[in-house]
Amino acid sequence: REQPLVPVARLAGVRREQFLRDIYPLRKPVVLKGMELGTCTTKWTVDYLSQAEGSKEVKIHVSAVPQMDFLSKNFVYRTLPFDVFVQRAAEVKHKKYFLSEDEKYYLRSVGEDARKDIADIRKQFPVLAEDVQIPEYFEKERFFSSVFRISSAGLQLWTHYDVMDNFLIQVTGKKRVVLYSPRDAPYLYLSGTKSKVLDVDNPDLEKYPLFVKAKRYQCFLEAGDVLFIPALWFHNVISEEFGVALNVFWKHLPAESYDKSDTYGNKDPTAASRAIQILDRALKTLEELPEEYRDFYARRMVLRIQEKAYRNDCG
């Protein structure tokens, strides 16, 4: 069996008013085309990138295999001068390398102190930031972060969700993005915010039999495309070419809903974290009962959660 495939809608010439009125309330991904993004889409060649930000050091992910897995940590962190990193990331075979001549590189920009500071292209890459016009489809005070990304061709990132809305702005290169609705979380074999199913194209169905029930949304991004990814939507990204992208995250919920220590935008809202802790304590309490009783009351708990917390619509 294969997952049902749903193409992500592609819309051109969408103005802010139309986005907020007709698209945003639906809480579904959409590719926005023809948006004014500044000079970055034409200027950001490998040579320009290298020269613009020079030799300042950046921390990068390096993997000997194309599929990076954050759960098993099948990559290493290394530091390179930015100009050297860009040149290497654009290569297919490397004369100089850390792990192997065909290793893959990935930069995900972070704040000056990743534990305290958010990623903001205006602070970490100020010269390049001048070339970018970020779509102002949300209020300025809701801005959370702007994450600068560079990926080797063929690199695939693990399936995960974020707790904030974001625009994935594909500046150069091409990407394929596979997405799953929050409703399909039961089929994705989660560990925290990440799915254990690494290869979404050829999943191990003996190990992950329910994965076929998840409805697969898919789109291909070209230079200049912007993908709206609503909060809680799972996404798996493959860079089909060497490419540069920018993620812009903003707060969909009231600011106080989010964990103040979260600099990456991937910690669950504080109310959700508290609820999960309470549930864990309840499950621990059930262990005091014999198996037959534990099973019965666990099922009652599931039914109560469904009755009280699940949405009634089937969208």
Side-chain angles (χ1 to χ4, degrees), residues 1-5 178 180 188 200 211-216:
R1 291 178 58 191
E2 292 186 357
Q3 291 174 300
L5 175 62
V178 174
Y180 298 96
L188 298 181
V200 297
F211 187 67
V212 293
K213 293 187 176 183
K215 185 185 294 184
R216 172 180 174 137

Side-chain angles (χ1 to χ4, degrees), residues 10-198:
R10 307 175 68 87
L11 301 173
V14 176
R15 296 183 179 275
R16 182 178 188 274
E17 296 75 16
Q18 181 188 356
F19 177 79
L20 294 176
R21 183 187 67 236
D22 301 332
I23 299 171
Y24 197 51
L26 298 178
R27 311 299 298 157
K28 288 188 175 181
V30 62
V31 177
L32 305 173
K33 300 187 67 66
M35 300 185 70
E36 181 52 58
L37 301 175
T39 58
C40 55
T41 54
T42 54
K43 286 176 71 173
W44 284 9
T45 63
V46 171
D47 289 341
Y48 174 79
L49 289 168
S50 301
Q51 295 167 7
E53 294 289 350
S55 60
K56 66 181 177 187
E57 292 197 331
V58 289
K59 188 177 181 181
I60 57 173
H61 302 63
V62 183
S63 175
V65 296
Q67 289 176 329
M68 280 193 180
D69 181 2
F70 198 82
L71 294 174
S72 68
K73 296 290 197 297
N74 66 344
F75 53 84
V76 296
Y77 291 106
R78 292 292 183 265
T79 302
L80 280 175
F82 182 74
D83 51 356
V84 175
F85 158 69
V86 171
Q87 296 289 337
R88 281 210 207 176
E91 298 171 345
V92 177
K93 296 285 185 181
H94 312 294
K95 292 181 180 179
K96 294 184 178 180
Y97 51 83
F98 296 107
L99 304 174
S100 67
E101 65 177 4
D102 55 356
E103 64 192 15
K104 303 297 183 184
Y105 297 89
Y106 171 55
L107 167 68
R108 188 251 191 240
S109 67
V110 295
E112 304 309 316
D113 183 341
R115 294 169 298 178
K116 299 178 181 178
D117 304 320
I118 60 162
D120 187 339
I121 189 174
R122 295 167 297 185
K123 296 178 180 178
Q124 286 94 48
F125 298 92
V127 176
L128 295 177
E130 293 181 1
D131 300 333
V132 183
Q133 183 175 320
I134 294 175
E136 295 184 352
Y137 280 33
F138 52 92
E139 301 299 329
K140 282 185 170 60
E141 60 269 20
R142 290 191 171 272
F143 170 84
F144 176 73
S145 66
S146 51
V147 182
F148 183 67
R149 302 180 190 271
I150 296 181
S151 306
S152 294
L155 179 77
Q156 182 173 14
L157 295 179
W158 52 91
T159 304
H160 68 283
Y161 71 87
D162 301 296
V163 300
M164 296 184 190
D165 292 344
N166 84 87
F167 281 145
L168 170 53
I169 302 169
Q170 190 64 28
V171 181
T172 71
K174 296 180 180 179
K175 278 191 174 77
R176 186 198 72 176
V177 185
V178 174
L179 304 107
Y180 298 96
S181 165
R183 293 287 185 90
D184 284 340
Y187 314 132
L188 298 181
Y189 297 88
L190 300 185
S191 176
T193 63
K194 304 163 188 67
S195 170
K196 295 178 184 177
V197 185
L198 191 60

